[in-house]
Amino acid sequence: MVMSIDNVRGFALATSSSAFIGSSFVIKKIGLKKAGDAGVRAGSGGYSYLYEPLWWIGMTAIGIVLHAPKEKKIDSVNEIWHLATQPGFIVYSCMAVIVALVLIFWVVHRTEQRKMLAYIAICSLMGSLTVISVKAVAIALKLSFNGVNQFIYVPTWFFIVVVIICCLVQLNYLNKALDSFNTAVVSPVYYVMFTILTILANMIMYKDWASQNATQIATELCGFVTIVAGTFLLHKTRDMGNTQSESSSLRGDCELENH
């Protein structure tokens, strides 16, 4: 099978994006740890990480990949506004906001065991809305630079406000997750949840399934199953490692007591 230039470019972009995402989580984690040593940790509600250069380097690298515009050709902000005001996407947007609010004001304060998942779910829900809005803002900037001012339209400013609010919420709860839990677990879980919700939002808004055949849909589903299975195994392996370490520690304590 001969690979087209688009396949090669897609492979290169996928590889580089994985490198950006992985390295950005590690850099941000280091920045958060350094900031926590000098002030209140992000997991405890602190924001001292904003003064840490390493955190900003990591944030720039995650931001480049996750909020890149998608491939579907859109020629104006009003076109995106028309798609965003369709019943299907309005229902999705309302559900995403409601679920995020429930997680923020109820779940996060009532459970410790599932706090990581709550943090990541908030980030992912807001992220799926951010991607759509970022694309609208990017198109507005592009058209405005070409002489067609898009900032005279209300939808442009609406999308800008959505981007600002959603990004602030994402930053806050992603930093709480990274500061409070293992990066090796946070990173893949966030990747899976963010990717699924973003693709779902785009499918609802752009009706992508209408242009795909059964083979393409089956391939995408297999990819999702692989990613989810890998994340599950990573989480279980980590738990097994912790259990083995605890068992070894207990055996060591027992031997010392016997001696």
Side-chain angles (χ1 to χ4, degrees):
M1 183 176 66
V2 181
M3 292 183 67
S4 67
I5 188 66
D6 288 336
N7 294 133
V8 176
R9 289 173 179 169
F11 177 77
L13 286 172
T15 303
S16 61
S17 67
S18 297
F20 268 116
I21 292 173
S23 61
S24 68
F25 273 107
V26 174
I27 295 171
K28 284 183 66 179
K29 180 69 173 184
I30 296 173
L32 287 168
K33 291 185 70 175
K34 291 184 67 176
D37 293 337
V40 181
R41 297 175 62 90
S44 301
Y47 297 95
S48 56
Y49 55 83
L50 295 174
Y51 299 100
E52 181 57 47
L54 275 176
W55 181 85
W56 285 105
I57 294 173
M59 192 59 237
T60 302
I62 189 168
I64 290 173
V65 176
L66 294 185
H67 296 152
K70 301 301 179 182
E71 288 186 56
K72 186 176 179 66
K73 184 174 177 58
I74 301 292
D75 298 318
S76 70
V77 175
N78 287 330
E79 187 176 345
I80 292 187
W81 179 254
H82 173 72
L83 293 170
T85 52
Q86 296 298 307
F89 190 74
I90 289 177
V91 171
Y92 173 81
S93 301
C94 292
M95 290 297 297
V97 172
I98 291 171
V99 172
L101 290 174
V102 170
L103 291 171
I104 292 171
F105 293 108
W106 191 74
V107 176
V108 167
H109 301 289
R110 292 177 177 267
T111 177
E112 287 294 330
Q113 295 181 340
R114 305 199 180 275
K115 186 172 284 188
M116 186 193 76
L117 290 178
Y119 286 157
I120 295 175
I122 294 167
C123 297
S124 302
L125 288 165
M126 294 296 98
S128 65
L129 300 179
T130 304
V131 170
I132 302 296
S133 301
V134 164
K135 184 168 187 176
V137 175
I139 291 172
L141 289 171
K142 178 182 177 181
L143 293 175
S144 297
F145 285 137
N146 290 335
V148 184
N149 187 8
Q150 296 294 300
F151 291 89
I152 60 175
Y153 301 116
V154 174
T156 301
W157 292 102
F158 175 82
F159 285 123
I160 291 175
V161 172
V162 171
V163 169
I164 294 173
I165 294 174
C166 290
C167 282
L168 289 176
V169 174
Q170 281 181 265
L171 289 176
N172 186 36
Y173 286 96
L174 180 57
N175 288 320
K176 287 180 182 291
L178 287 173
D179 190 52
S180 305
F181 303 98
N182 191 336
T183 307
V185 178
V186 172
S187 178
V189 173
Y190 177 57
Y191 175 79
V192 170
M193 197 175 295
F194 176 87
T195 302
I196 290 175
L197 289 174
T198 300
I199 291 178
L200 176 62
N202 277 273
M203 287 180 64
I204 293 173
M205 183 168 176
Y206 298 116
K207 299 179 175 59
D208 289 338
W209 64 82
S211 60
Q212 293 183 321
N213 56 39
T215 303
Q216 291 173 316
I217 295 174
T219 302
E220 292 170 359
L221 290 175
C222 288
F224 277 129
V225 171
T226 302
I227 294 172
V228 173
T231 304
F232 173 77
L233 289 174
L234 177 66
H235 201 289
K236 292 299 292 183
T237 302
R238 174 177 174 271
D239 292 340
M240 289 171 61
N242 291 339
T243 302
Q244 290 175 355
S245 298
E246 292 174 359
S247 300
S248 299
S249 178
L250 289 173
R251 284 198 299 270
D253 293 340
C254 291
E255 290 176 359
L256 287 174
E257 290 178 0
N258 292 331
H259 288 296

